[in-house]
Amino acid sequence: MKLSRYEQESILNCNAGEQTATLYTRDKAVMRKLDTLVADFPDIYKLTGQDEVSKTYSFPKSYVSYRKPRAVSTEQRERAMQMMIANSRAKGD
Protein backbone atom coordinates (compact mmCIF):
# COMPACT_ATOMS: atom_id res chain seq x y z
CA MET A 1 0.00 0.00 0.00
CA LYS A 2 1.42 3.37 -1.03
CA LEU A 3 1.11 6.10 1.59
CA SER A 4 1.36 9.84 0.95
CA ARG A 5 4.25 11.71 2.59
CA TYR A 6 1.73 13.17 5.04
CA GLU A 7 0.52 9.69 6.02
CA GLN A 8 4.08 8.45 6.72
CA GLU A 9 3.96 9.58 10.32
CA SER A 10 5.85 8.58 13.44
CA ILE A 11 4.41 9.00 16.92
CA LEU A 12 6.61 8.78 20.02
CA ASN A 13 4.79 8.11 23.29
CA CYS A 14 6.42 8.24 26.71
CA ASN A 15 5.29 9.40 30.11
CA ALA A 16 6.83 10.18 33.49
CA GLY A 17 5.40 7.03 35.10
CA GLU A 18 7.15 4.50 32.85
CA GLN A 19 10.73 3.84 31.81
CA THR A 20 9.75 2.66 28.31
CA ALA A 21 9.05 4.75 25.22
CA THR A 22 6.82 3.48 22.41
CA LEU A 23 7.29 4.51 18.77
CA TYR A 24 4.54 3.94 16.21
CA THR A 25 5.63 4.60 12.65
CA ARG A 26 4.42 4.33 9.08
CA ASP A 27 7.67 5.77 7.69
CA LYS A 28 9.71 3.10 5.86
CA ALA A 29 13.04 4.87 6.56
CA VAL A 30 12.32 4.93 10.31
CA MET A 31 11.26 1.28 10.15
CA ARG A 32 14.55 0.29 8.49
CA LYS A 33 16.57 2.11 11.17
CA LEU A 34 14.58 0.60 14.03
CA ASP A 35 14.61 -2.89 12.46
CA THR A 36 18.42 -2.68 12.38
CA LEU A 37 18.47 -1.67 16.06
CA VAL A 38 16.09 -4.53 16.93
CA ALA A 39 18.38 -7.00 15.14
CA ASP A 40 21.59 -5.60 16.66
CA PHE A 41 20.29 -4.95 20.19
CA PRO A 42 17.33 -7.30 20.83
CA ASP A 43 17.58 -6.89 24.60
CA ILE A 44 17.05 -3.11 24.29
CA TYR A 45 14.88 -2.49 21.20
CA LYS A 46 11.74 -4.58 20.67
CA LEU A 47 9.26 -4.81 17.81
CA THR A 48 5.93 -4.98 19.64
CA GLY A 49 3.47 -4.90 16.76
CA GLN A 50 3.06 -4.54 13.04
CA ASP A 51 0.56 -4.59 10.21
CA GLU A 52 0.81 -4.08 6.45
CA VAL A 53 1.69 -0.34 6.73
CA SER A 54 3.02 0.28 10.24
CA LYS A 55 5.23 -1.03 13.02
CA THR A 56 5.39 -0.31 16.75
CA TYR A 57 8.62 -0.48 18.74
CA SER A 58 9.51 -0.12 22.41
CA PHE A 59 12.81 0.87 23.97
CA PRO A 60 14.09 2.62 27.11
CA LYS A 61 12.90 6.19 27.46
CA SER A 62 16.49 7.21 28.23
CA TYR A 63 17.35 6.50 24.56
CA VAL A 64 15.16 9.39 23.40
CA SER A 65 17.38 12.41 22.84
CA TYR A 66 16.65 16.11 22.55
CA ARG A 67 19.55 18.14 21.23
CA LYS A 68 20.12 21.76 20.42
CA PRO A 69 21.00 22.56 16.81
CA ARG A 70 24.67 22.40 15.94
CA ALA A 71 26.17 25.84 15.38
CA VAL A 72 28.82 25.85 12.67
CA SER A 73 30.89 28.97 12.18
CA THR A 74 31.82 30.26 8.74
CA GLU A 75 35.43 29.32 9.48
CA GLN A 76 34.48 25.73 10.37
CA ARG A 77 32.34 25.46 7.24
CA GLU A 78 35.22 26.74 5.07
CA ARG A 79 37.68 24.28 6.68
CA ALA A 80 35.30 21.38 6.09
CA MET A 81 34.82 22.40 2.46
CA GLN A 82 38.60 22.57 1.93
CA MET A 83 39.04 19.11 3.50
CA MET A 84 36.36 17.65 1.20
CA ILE A 85 38.03 19.22 -1.85
CA ALA A 86 41.42 17.83 -0.78
CA ASN A 87 39.97 14.36 -0.19
CA SER A 88 38.23 14.44 -3.56
CA ARG A 89 41.46 15.39 -5.33
CA ALA A 90 43.41 12.68 -3.47
CA LYS A 91 40.94 10.05 -4.68
CA GLY A 92 41.22 11.34 -8.24
CA ASP A 93 37.55 12.29 -8.61
Side-chain angles (χ1 to χ4, degrees), residues 8-76:
Q8 295 176 30
E9 65 184 359
S10 294
I11 301 170
L12 179 66
N13 187 3
C14 56
N15 61 58
E18 296 179 0
Q19 296 302 314
T20 304
T22 303
L23 179 74
Y24 167 86
T25 187
R26 297 173 114 190
D27 186 333
K28 297 262 189 224
V30 174
M31 285 184 213
R32 281 191 300 272
K33 289 177 187 178
L34 269 292
D35 285 342
T36 300
L37 291 171
V38 167
D40 293 346
F41 305 99
D43 53 327
I44 298 172
Y45 291 90
K46 307 233 184 292
L47 175 64
T48 59
Q50 74 181 75
D51 59 28
E52 60 275 353
V53 295
S54 69
K55 290 185 178 181
T56 304
Y57 303 89
S58 67
F59 50 90
K61 185 170 62 172
S62 61
Y63 282 63
V64 177
S65 175
Y66 304 99
R67 298 179 294 215
K68 62 182 179 181
R70 181 177 169 201
V72 180
S73 71
T74 305
E75 180 182 311
Q76 289 171 320

Short mmCIF file of all heavy atoms in Angstrom, two decimals, residues 8-76:
data_model
loop_
_atom_site.label_atom_id
_atom_site.label_comp_id
_atom_site.label_asym_id
_atom_site.label_seq_id
_atom_site.Cartn_x
_atom_site.Cartn_y
_atom_site.Cartn_z
N GLN A 8 2.91 9.17 6.21
CA GLN A 8 4.08 8.45 6.72
C GLN A 8 4.53 9.10 8.02
O GLN A 8 5.58 9.70 8.12
CB GLN A 8 5.20 8.47 5.68
CG GLN A 8 4.85 7.72 4.43
CD GLN A 8 5.92 7.81 3.37
OE1 GLN A 8 7.09 7.95 3.68
NE2 GLN A 8 5.51 7.76 2.12
N GLU A 9 3.72 8.92 9.04
CA GLU A 9 3.96 9.58 10.32
C GLU A 9 4.67 8.67 11.31
O GLU A 9 4.70 7.46 11.15
CB GLU A 9 2.63 10.01 10.93
CG GLU A 9 1.72 8.85 11.29
CD GLU A 9 0.36 9.28 11.80
OE1 GLU A 9 0.11 10.49 11.90
OE2 GLU A 9 -0.45 8.41 12.10
N SER A 10 5.26 9.30 12.30
CA SER A 10 5.85 8.58 13.44
C SER A 10 5.35 9.27 14.70
O SER A 10 5.35 10.49 14.78
CB SER A 10 7.37 8.64 13.40
OG SER A 10 7.86 7.93 12.29
N ILE A 11 4.94 8.47 15.66
CA ILE A 11 4.41 9.00 16.92
C ILE A 11 5.19 8.38 18.07
O ILE A 11 5.21 7.16 18.23
CB ILE A 11 2.91 8.69 17.07
CG1 ILE A 11 2.13 9.30 15.90
CG2 ILE A 11 2.39 9.20 18.40
CD1 ILE A 11 0.69 8.85 15.82
N LEU A 12 5.85 9.22 18.86
CA LEU A 12 6.61 8.78 20.02
C LEU A 12 5.75 9.03 21.25
O LEU A 12 5.26 10.13 21.46
CB LEU A 12 7.92 9.56 20.12
CG LEU A 12 8.80 9.22 21.31
CD1 LEU A 12 9.33 7.80 21.19
CD2 LEU A 12 9.94 10.21 21.41
N ASN A 13 5.60 8.00 22.09
CA ASN A 13 4.79 8.11 23.29
C ASN A 13 5.62 7.69 24.49
O ASN A 13 6.15 6.58 24.53
CB ASN A 13 3.54 7.22 23.16
CG ASN A 13 2.59 7.40 24.29
OD1 ASN A 13 2.79 8.22 25.17
ND2 ASN A 13 1.52 6.62 24.27
N CYS A 14 5.76 8.59 25.44
CA CYS A 14 6.42 8.24 26.71
C CYS A 14 5.82 9.12 27.79
O CYS A 14 5.32 10.21 27.52
CB CYS A 14 7.93 8.40 26.63
SG CYS A 14 8.53 10.00 26.15
N ASN A 15 5.84 8.62 29.01
CA ASN A 15 5.29 9.40 30.11
C ASN A 15 6.20 9.28 31.33
O ASN A 15 7.10 8.44 31.37
CB ASN A 15 3.85 8.97 30.44
CG ASN A 15 3.77 7.53 30.85
OD1 ASN A 15 4.41 7.12 31.82
ND2 ASN A 15 2.99 6.74 30.13
N ALA A 16 5.96 10.12 32.31
CA ALA A 16 6.83 10.18 33.49
C ALA A 16 6.71 8.93 34.36
O ALA A 16 7.62 8.62 35.12
CB ALA A 16 6.49 11.43 34.32
N GLY A 17 5.62 8.19 34.24
CA GLY A 17 5.40 7.03 35.10
C GLY A 17 6.03 5.75 34.61
O GLY A 17 6.04 4.76 35.33
N GLU A 18 6.57 5.72 33.39
CA GLU A 18 7.15 4.50 32.85
C GLU A 18 8.56 4.77 32.34
O GLU A 18 8.90 5.89 32.00
CB GLU A 18 6.30 3.97 31.68
CG GLU A 18 4.90 3.56 32.10
CD GLU A 18 4.07 3.07 30.92
OE1 GLU A 18 4.58 3.05 29.78
OE2 GLU A 18 2.92 2.71 31.15
N GLN A 19 9.35 3.73 32.28
CA GLN A 19 10.73 3.84 31.81
C GLN A 19 10.86 3.48 30.33
O GLN A 19 11.93 3.55 29.76
CB GLN A 19 11.64 2.93 32.64
CG GLN A 19 11.72 3.33 34.09
CD GLN A 19 12.20 4.75 34.27
OE1 GLN A 19 13.17 5.17 33.65
NE2 GLN A 19 11.50 5.51 35.09
N THR A 20 9.74 3.10 29.70
CA THR A 20 9.75 2.66 28.31
C THR A 20 9.06 3.67 27.41
O THR A 20 8.02 4.22 27.76
CB THR A 20 9.04 1.30 28.18
OG1 THR A 20 9.66 0.38 29.06
CG2 THR A 20 9.10 0.77 26.78
N ALA A 21 9.66 3.91 26.25
CA ALA A 21 9.05 4.75 25.22
C ALA A 21 8.50 3.82 24.14
O ALA A 21 9.04 2.73 23.90
CB ALA A 21 10.08 5.70 24.61
N THR A 22 7.42 4.23 23.49
CA THR A 22 6.82 3.48 22.41
C THR A 22 6.82 4.36 21.17
O THR A 22 6.45 5.53 21.22
CB THR A 22 5.38 3.08 22.75
OG1 THR A 22 5.38 2.33 23.97
CG2 THR A 22 4.76 2.25 21.66
N LEU A 23 7.26 3.78 20.03
CA LEU A 23 7.29 4.51 18.77
C LEU A 23 6.44 3.78 17.77
O LEU A 23 6.69 2.61 17.45
CB LEU A 23 8.72 4.64 18.24
CG LEU A 23 8.84 5.37 16.92
CD1 LEU A 23 8.63 6.87 17.13
CD2 LEU A 23 10.18 5.12 16.28
N TYR A 24 5.40 4.45 17.29
CA TYR A 24 4.54 3.94 16.21
C TYR A 24 4.96 4.67 14.95
O TYR A 24 5.09 5.89 14.95
CB TYR A 24 3.07 4.22 16.54
CG TYR A 24 2.15 4.01 15.35
CD1 TYR A 24 1.63 2.76 15.07
CD2 TYR A 24 1.80 5.07 14.52
CE1 TYR A 24 0.79 2.56 14.00
CE2 TYR A 24 0.96 4.88 13.43
CZ TYR A 24 0.46 3.63 13.17
OH TYR A 24 -0.37 3.43 12.11
N THR A 25 5.21 3.93 13.88
CA THR A 25 5.63 4.60 12.65
C THR A 25 5.05 3.94 11.42
O THR A 25 4.81 2.73 11.39
CB THR A 25 7.17 4.66 12.53
OG1 THR A 25 7.52 5.45 11.41
CG2 THR A 25 7.78 3.28 12.40
N ARG A 26 4.82 4.78 10.41
CA ARG A 26 4.42 4.33 9.08
C ARG A 26 5.48 4.75 8.06
O ARG A 26 5.28 4.59 6.87
CB ARG A 26 3.08 4.95 8.71
CG ARG A 26 1.95 4.52 9.62
CD ARG A 26 0.71 5.28 9.32
NE ARG A 26 -0.29 4.36 8.80
CZ ARG A 26 -1.43 4.74 8.27
NH1 ARG A 26 -1.73 6.00 8.16
NH2 ARG A 26 -2.29 3.84 7.84
N ASP A 27 6.58 5.28 8.54
CA ASP A 27 7.67 5.77 7.69
C ASP A 27 8.67 4.63 7.46
O ASP A 27 9.27 4.12 8.39
CB ASP A 27 8.35 6.95 8.38
CG ASP A 27 9.40 7.62 7.55
OD1 ASP A 27 10.00 6.96 6.67
OD2 ASP A 27 9.66 8.81 7.77
N LYS A 28 8.84 4.23 6.20
CA LYS A 28 9.71 3.10 5.86
C LYS A 28 11.16 3.33 6.28
O LYS A 28 11.84 2.40 6.72
CB LYS A 28 9.65 2.81 4.36
CG LYS A 28 8.28 2.40 3.88
CD LYS A 28 8.21 0.91 3.76
CE LYS A 28 6.91 0.55 3.07
NZ LYS A 28 6.27 -0.55 3.74
N ALA A 29 11.66 4.57 6.17
CA ALA A 29 13.04 4.87 6.56
C ALA A 29 13.22 4.67 8.07
O ALA A 29 14.22 4.09 8.51
CB ALA A 29 13.41 6.29 6.16
N VAL A 30 12.26 5.11 8.85
CA VAL A 30 12.32 4.93 10.31
C VAL A 30 12.24 3.44 10.64
O VAL A 30 12.97 2.95 11.51
CB VAL A 30 11.21 5.73 11.01
CG1 VAL A 30 11.18 5.45 12.51
CG2 VAL A 30 11.38 7.22 10.75
N MET A 31 11.38 2.72 9.93
CA MET A 31 11.26 1.28 10.15
C MET A 31 12.58 0.57 9.89
O MET A 31 12.99 -0.30 10.67
CB MET A 31 10.18 0.68 9.25
CG MET A 31 8.78 0.98 9.66
SD MET A 31 7.66 0.10 8.56
CE MET A 31 6.31 1.24 8.50
N ARG A 32 13.27 0.93 8.80
CA ARG A 32 14.55 0.29 8.49
C ARG A 32 15.57 0.54 9.61
O ARG A 32 16.28 -0.37 10.03
CB ARG A 32 15.10 0.80 7.15
CG ARG A 32 14.44 0.17 5.94
CD ARG A 32 15.17 0.50 4.66
NE ARG A 32 15.23 1.92 4.39
CZ ARG A 32 14.32 2.62 3.74
NH1 ARG A 32 13.24 2.01 3.29
NH2 ARG A 32 14.48 3.90 3.53
N LYS A 33 15.63 1.78 10.09
CA LYS A 33 16.57 2.11 11.17
C LYS A 33 16.25 1.33 12.44
O LYS A 33 17.14 0.76 13.08
CB LYS A 33 16.54 3.61 11.46
CG LYS A 33 17.16 4.44 10.37
CD LYS A 33 17.05 5.91 10.67
CE LYS A 33 17.52 6.74 9.51
NZ LYS A 33 17.38 8.17 9.74
N LEU A 34 14.97 1.31 12.81
CA LEU A 34 14.58 0.60 14.03
C LEU A 34 14.72 -0.91 13.87
O LEU A 34 15.11 -1.60 14.82
CB LEU A 34 13.15 0.97 14.43
CG LEU A 34 12.97 2.15 15.38
CD1 LEU A 34 13.49 1.86 16.75
CD2 LEU A 34 13.47 3.44 14.86
N ASP A 35 14.43 -1.46 12.69
CA ASP A 35 14.61 -2.89 12.46
C ASP A 35 16.08 -3.29 12.64
O ASP A 35 16.38 -4.35 13.19
CB ASP A 35 14.13 -3.29 11.07
CG ASP A 35 12.61 -3.33 10.95
OD1 ASP A 35 11.92 -3.38 12.00
OD2 ASP A 35 12.10 -3.30 9.81
N THR A 36 16.99 -2.43 12.20
CA THR A 36 18.42 -2.68 12.38
C THR A 36 18.76 -2.68 13.87
O THR A 36 19.50 -3.55 14.35
CB THR A 36 19.26 -1.63 11.64
OG1 THR A 36 18.94 -1.69 10.25
CG2 THR A 36 20.74 -1.86 11.84
N LEU A 37 18.22 -1.73 14.61
CA LEU A 37 18.47 -1.67 16.06
C LEU A 37 17.89 -2.89 16.77
O LEU A 37 18.51 -3.43 17.69
CB LEU A 37 17.91 -0.37 16.64
CG LEU A 37 18.64 0.91 16.24
CD1 LEU A 37 17.86 2.14 16.69
CD2 LEU A 37 20.05 0.92 16.81
N VAL A 38 16.71 -3.33 16.34
CA VAL A 38 16.09 -4.53 16.93
C VAL A 38 16.99 -5.75 16.68
O VAL A 38 17.21 -6.57 17.57
CB VAL A 38 14.68 -4.75 16.37
CG1 VAL A 38 14.15 -6.14 16.72
CG2 VAL A 38 13.72 -3.68 16.88
N ALA A 39 17.53 -5.86 15.47
CA ALA A 39 18.38 -7.00 15.14
C ALA A 39 19.71 -6.95 15.89
O ALA A 39 20.21 -7.97 16.36
CB ALA A 39 18.64 -7.04 13.63
N ASP A 40 20.28 -5.75 16.02
CA ASP A 40 21.59 -5.60 16.66
C ASP A 40 21.52 -5.59 18.18
O ASP A 40 22.48 -6.00 18.85
CB ASP A 40 22.28 -4.33 16.18
CG ASP A 40 22.67 -4.37 14.71
OD1 ASP A 40 22.65 -5.48 14.12
OD2 ASP A 40 22.98 -3.32 14.14
N PHE A 41 20.43 -5.09 18.74
CA PHE A 41 20.29 -4.95 20.19
C PHE A 41 18.92 -5.47 20.65
O PHE A 41 18.09 -4.70 21.15
CB PHE A 41 20.45 -3.48 20.61
CG PHE A 41 21.73 -2.86 20.13
CD1 PHE A 41 21.75 -2.07 19.00
CD2 PHE A 41 22.92 -3.09 20.81
CE1 PHE A 41 22.93 -1.49 18.55
CE2 PHE A 41 24.11 -2.52 20.36
CZ PHE A 41 24.12 -1.72 19.23
N PRO A 42 18.67 -6.77 20.52
CA PRO A 42 17.33 -7.30 20.83
C PRO A 42 16.94 -7.20 22.30
O PRO A 42 15.75 -7.25 22.61
CB PRO A 42 17.43 -8.77 20.39
CG PRO A 42 18.88 -9.08 20.42
CD PRO A 42 19.59 -7.80 20.08
N ASP A 43 17.92 -7.04 23.18
CA ASP A 43 17.58 -6.89 24.60
C ASP A 43 17.15 -5.47 24.94
O ASP A 43 16.58 -5.23 26.00
CB ASP A 43 18.76 -7.31 25.47
CG ASP A 43 20.05 -6.60 25.08
OD1 ASP A 43 20.23 -6.30 23.88
OD2 ASP A 43 20.88 -6.34 25.98
N ILE A 44 17.39 -4.52 24.04
CA ILE A 44 17.05 -3.11 24.29
C ILE A 44 15.86 -2.67 23.44
O ILE A 44 14.90 -2.11 23.96
CB ILE A 44 18.27 -2.21 24.03
CG1 ILE A 44 19.40 -2.58 24.98
CG2 ILE A 44 17.89 -0.73 24.16
CD1 ILE A 44 20.72 -1.88 24.68
N TYR A 45 15.94 -2.90 22.13
CA TYR A 45 14.88 -2.49 21.20
C TYR A 45 14.00 -3.68 20.87
O TYR A 45 14.50 -4.75 20.53
CB TYR A 45 15.49 -1.93 19.91
CG TYR A 45 16.20 -0.62 20.10
CD1 TYR A 45 17.55 -0.57 20.42
CD2 TYR A 45 15.52 0.58 19.97
CE1 TYR A 45 18.20 0.64 20.61
CE2 TYR A 45 16.16 1.79 20.14
CZ TYR A 45 17.50 1.81 20.46
OH TYR A 45 18.12 3.01 20.64
N LYS A 46 12.68 -3.49 20.93
CA LYS A 46 11.74 -4.58 20.67
C LYS A 46 10.68 -4.13 19.66
O LYS A 46 10.17 -3.02 19.74
CB LYS A 46 11.03 -4.97 21.96
CG LYS A 46 11.99 -5.28 23.10
CD LYS A 46 11.72 -6.61 23.70
CE LYS A 46 12.59 -6.90 24.89
NZ LYS A 46 13.96 -7.07 24.67
N LEU A 47 10.38 -5.01 18.72
CA LEU A 47 9.26 -4.81 17.81
C LEU A 47 8.04 -5.38 18.51
O LEU A 47 7.98 -6.58 18.80
CB LEU A 47 9.51 -5.53 16.49
CG LEU A 47 8.37 -5.50 15.47
CD1 LEU A 47 8.09 -4.08 15.01
CD2 LEU A 47 8.71 -6.38 14.28
N THR A 48 7.07 -4.53 18.85
CA THR A 48 5.93 -4.98 19.64
C THR A 48 4.66 -5.19 18.83
O THR A 48 3.70 -5.78 19.34
CB THR A 48 5.64 -3.99 20.79
OG1 THR A 48 5.36 -2.71 20.24
CG2 THR A 48 6.82 -3.91 21.74
N GLY A 49 4.64 -4.71 17.59
CA GLY A 49 3.47 -4.90 16.76
C GLY A 49 3.72 -4.43 15.35
O GLY A 49 4.59 -3.60 15.10
N GLN A 50 2.96 -4.99 14.42
CA GLN A 50 3.06 -4.54 13.04
C GLN A 50 1.84 -4.95 12.25
O GLN A 50 1.13 -5.89 12.62
CB GLN A 50 4.33 -5.07 12.38
CG GLN A 50 4.33 -6.54 12.02
CD GLN A 50 5.64 -6.96 11.39
OE1 GLN A 50 6.63 -7.09 12.08
NE2 GLN A 50 5.64 -7.15 10.09
N ASP A 51 1.58 -4.22 11.18
CA ASP A 51 0.56 -4.59 10.21
C ASP A 51 1.13 -4.29 8.83
O ASP A 51 2.34 -4.08 8.70
CB ASP A 51 -0.79 -3.89 10.48
CG ASP A 51 -0.70 -2.38 10.46
OD1 ASP A 51 0.18 -1.84 9.76
OD2 ASP A 51 -1.51 -1.72 11.13
N GLU A 52 0.30 -4.24 7.82
CA GLU A 52 0.81 -4.08 6.45
C GLU A 52 1.45 -2.70 6.18
O GLU A 52 2.24 -2.56 5.27
CB GLU A 52 -0.26 -4.37 5.41
CG GLU A 52 -1.50 -3.49 5.49
CD GLU A 52 -2.54 -3.98 6.49
OE1 GLU A 52 -2.39 -5.06 7.05
OE2 GLU A 52 -3.49 -3.24 6.72
N VAL A 53 1.14 -1.68 6.99
CA VAL A 53 1.69 -0.34 6.73
C VAL A 53 2.44 0.27 7.91
O VAL A 53 3.06 1.32 7.76
CB VAL A 53 0.60 0.65 6.28
CG1 VAL A 53 0.01 0.26 4.95
CG2 VAL A 53 -0.48 0.80 7.32
N SER A 54 2.40 -0.35 9.08
CA SER A 54 3.02 0.28 10.24
C SER A 54 3.70 -0.74 11.14
O SER A 54 3.44 -1.94 11.06
CB SER A 54 1.97 1.05 11.05
OG SER A 54 1.07 0.16 11.66
N LYS A 55 4.58 -0.21 11.99
CA LYS A 55 5.23 -1.03 13.02
C LYS A 55 5.28 -0.22 14.31
O LYS A 55 5.31 1.01 14.29
CB LYS A 55 6.65 -1.40 12.61
CG LYS A 55 6.71 -2.39 11.46
CD LYS A 55 8.12 -2.82 11.18
CE LYS A 55 8.16 -3.84 10.05
NZ LYS A 55 9.54 -4.30 9.78
N THR A 56 5.29 -0.94 15.44
CA THR A 56 5.39 -0.31 16.75
C THR A 56 6.59 -0.93 17.47
O THR A 56 6.76 -2.15 17.48
CB THR A 56 4.10 -0.54 17.57
OG1 THR A 56 2.99 -0.04 16.82
CG2 THR A 56 4.18 0.17 18.91
N TYR A 57 7.40 -0.07 18.05
CA TYR A 57 8.62 -0.48 18.74
C TYR A 57 8.59 0.03 20.17
O TYR A 57 7.94 1.04 20.46
CB TYR A 57 9.85 0.11 18.05
CG TYR A 57 9.99 -0.26 16.60
CD1 TYR A 57 9.40 0.52 15.61
CD2 TYR A 57 10.70 -1.37 16.21
CE1 TYR A 57 9.52 0.19 14.27
CE2 TYR A 57 10.83 -1.72 14.88
CZ TYR A 57 10.24 -0.92 13.91
OH TYR A 57 10.36 -1.26 12.59
N SER A 58 9.32 -0.63 21.05
CA SER A 58 9.51 -0.12 22.41
C SER A 58 10.99 -0.17 22.75
O SER A 58 11.72 -1.06 22.27
CB SER A 58 8.68 -0.91 23.42
OG SER A 58 9.17 -2.22 23.53
N PHE A 59 11.42 0.77 23.56
CA PHE A 59 12.81 0.87 23.97
C PHE A 59 12.87 1.78 25.19
O PHE A 59 11.90 2.48 25.49
CB PHE A 59 13.70 1.40 22.83
CG PHE A 59 13.17 2.64 22.17
CD1 PHE A 59 13.52 3.90 22.63
CD2 PHE A 59 12.32 2.55 21.08
CE1 PHE A 59 13.04 5.04 22.02
CE2 PHE A 59 11.83 3.69 20.46
CZ PHE A 59 12.19 4.94 20.93
N PRO A 60 13.99 1.79 25.92
CA PRO A 60 14.09 2.62 27.11
C PRO A 60 13.91 4.11 26.79
O PRO A 60 14.43 4.61 25.80
CB PRO A 60 15.49 2.36 27.62
CG PRO A 60 15.85 1.02 27.07
CD PRO A 60 15.17 0.94 25.74
N LYS A 61 13.17 4.76 27.64
CA LYS A 61 12.90 6.19 27.46
C LYS A 61 14.20 6.99 27.47
O LYS A 61 14.29 8.03 26.82
CB LYS A 61 11.96 6.65 28.57
CG LYS A 61 11.51 8.07 28.47
CD LYS A 61 10.41 8.39 29.45
CE LYS A 61 10.83 8.23 30.87
NZ LYS A 61 9.84 8.69 31.83
N SER A 62 15.21 6.50 28.15
CA SER A 62 16.49 7.21 28.23
C SER A 62 17.20 7.27 26.87
O SER A 62 18.11 8.06 26.69
CB SER A 62 17.40 6.55 29.25
OG SER A 62 17.68 5.21 28.88
N TYR A 63 16.75 6.47 25.89
CA TYR A 63 17.35 6.50 24.56
C TYR A 63 16.74 7.58 23.66
O TYR A 63 17.21 7.78 22.55
CB TYR A 63 17.21 5.13 23.90
CG TYR A 63 18.21 4.13 24.43
CD1 TYR A 63 18.19 3.75 25.76
CD2 TYR A 63 19.17 3.58 23.61
CE1 TYR A 63 19.11 2.85 26.26
CE2 TYR A 63 20.09 2.68 24.10
CZ TYR A 63 20.05 2.32 25.43
OH TYR A 63 20.97 1.43 25.92
N VAL A 64 15.73 8.25 24.14
CA VAL A 64 15.16 9.39 23.40
C VAL A 64 16.03 10.60 23.70
O VAL A 64 16.34 10.87 24.86
CB VAL A 64 13.69 9.66 23.82
CG1 VAL A 64 13.15 10.88 23.11
CG2 VAL A 64 12.83 8.45 23.57
N SER A 65 16.43 11.31 22.67
CA SER A 65 17.38 12.41 22.84
C SER A 65 16.81 13.70 22.27
O SER A 65 16.22 13.71 21.19
CB SER A 65 18.69 12.06 22.14
OG SER A 65 19.58 13.13 22.20
N TYR A 66 17.02 14.77 23.00
CA TYR A 66 16.65 16.11 22.55
C TYR A 66 17.93 16.92 22.52
O TYR A 66 18.62 17.05 23.54
CB TYR A 66 15.65 16.77 23.50
CG TYR A 66 14.42 15.95 23.70
CD1 TYR A 66 14.28 15.13 24.82
CD2 TYR A 66 13.39 15.95 22.77
CE1 TYR A 66 13.15 14.36 25.00
CE2 TYR A 66 12.27 15.17 22.94
CZ TYR A 66 12.14 14.38 24.06
OH TYR A 66 11.04 13.61 24.24
N ARG A 67 18.29 17.42 21.36
CA ARG A 67 19.55 18.14 21.23
C ARG A 67 19.32 19.52 20.65
O ARG A 67 18.40 19.72 19.85
CB ARG A 67 20.49 17.38 20.32
CG ARG A 67 20.86 16.01 20.85
CD ARG A 67 21.75 15.30 19.90
NE ARG A 67 21.01 15.01 18.67
CZ ARG A 67 21.17 13.94 17.94
NH1 ARG A 67 22.05 13.05 18.28
NH2 ARG A 67 20.47 13.75 16.86
N LYS A 68 20.18 20.44 21.03
CA LYS A 68 20.12 21.76 20.42
C LYS A 68 20.78 21.69 19.05
O LYS A 68 21.65 20.84 18.82
CB LYS A 68 20.78 22.79 21.32
CG LYS A 68 22.25 22.56 21.57
CD LYS A 68 22.79 23.61 22.52
CE LYS A 68 24.27 23.34 22.78
NZ LYS A 68 24.85 24.30 23.68
N PRO A 69 20.41 22.56 18.14
CA PRO A 69 21.00 22.56 16.81
C PRO A 69 22.50 22.83 16.88
O PRO A 69 22.97 23.60 17.72
CB PRO A 69 20.29 23.68 16.08
CG PRO A 69 19.07 23.95 16.86
CD PRO A 69 19.37 23.56 18.27
N ARG A 70 23.23 22.20 16.00
CA ARG A 70 24.67 22.40 15.94
C ARG A 70 24.96 23.74 15.28
O ARG A 70 24.47 24.02 14.18
CB ARG A 70 25.30 21.28 15.14
CG ARG A 70 26.79 21.37 15.04
CD ARG A 70 27.34 20.18 14.29
NE ARG A 70 28.73 20.41 13.98
CZ ARG A 70 29.38 19.79 13.04
NH1 ARG A 70 28.76 18.89 12.30
NH2 ARG A 70 30.65 20.05 12.82
N ALA A 71 25.78 24.55 15.92
CA ALA A 71 26.17 25.84 15.38
C ALA A 71 27.53 25.69 14.71
O ALA A 71 28.51 25.31 15.35
CB ALA A 71 26.24 26.89 16.47
N VAL A 72 27.58 25.96 13.42
CA VAL A 72 28.82 25.85 12.67
C VAL A 72 29.22 27.25 12.20
O VAL A 72 28.45 27.92 11.51
CB VAL A 72 28.65 24.91 11.45
CG1 VAL A 72 29.94 24.80 10.67
CG2 VAL A 72 28.16 23.55 11.90
N SER A 73 30.42 27.64 12.58
CA SER A 73 30.89 28.97 12.18
C SER A 73 31.28 28.96 10.71
O SER A 73 31.49 27.91 10.10
CB SER A 73 32.09 29.40 13.03
OG SER A 73 33.22 28.62 12.69
N THR A 74 31.40 30.13 10.14
CA THR A 74 31.82 30.26 8.74
C THR A 74 33.21 29.66 8.56
O THR A 74 33.48 29.00 7.56
CB THR A 74 31.81 31.75 8.33
OG1 THR A 74 30.52 32.29 8.59
CG2 THR A 74 32.14 31.92 6.86
N GLU A 75 34.07 29.87 9.55
CA GLU A 75 35.43 29.32 9.48
C GLU A 75 35.41 27.79 9.48
O GLU A 75 36.12 27.15 8.70
CB GLU A 75 36.25 29.83 10.67
CG GLU A 75 37.67 29.32 10.70
CD GLU A 75 38.41 29.82 11.93
OE1 GLU A 75 38.36 31.03 12.21
OE2 GLU A 75 39.03 28.96 12.60
N GLN A 76 34.59 27.18 10.34
CA GLN A 76 34.48 25.73 10.37
C GLN A 76 33.92 25.19 9.06
O GLN A 76 34.37 24.17 8.55
CB GLN A 76 33.58 25.29 11.52
CG GLN A 76 34.19 25.50 12.89
CD GLN A 76 33.17 25.24 13.98
OE1 GLN A 76 32.00 25.62 13.86
NE2 GLN A 76 33.61 24.58 15.05
#
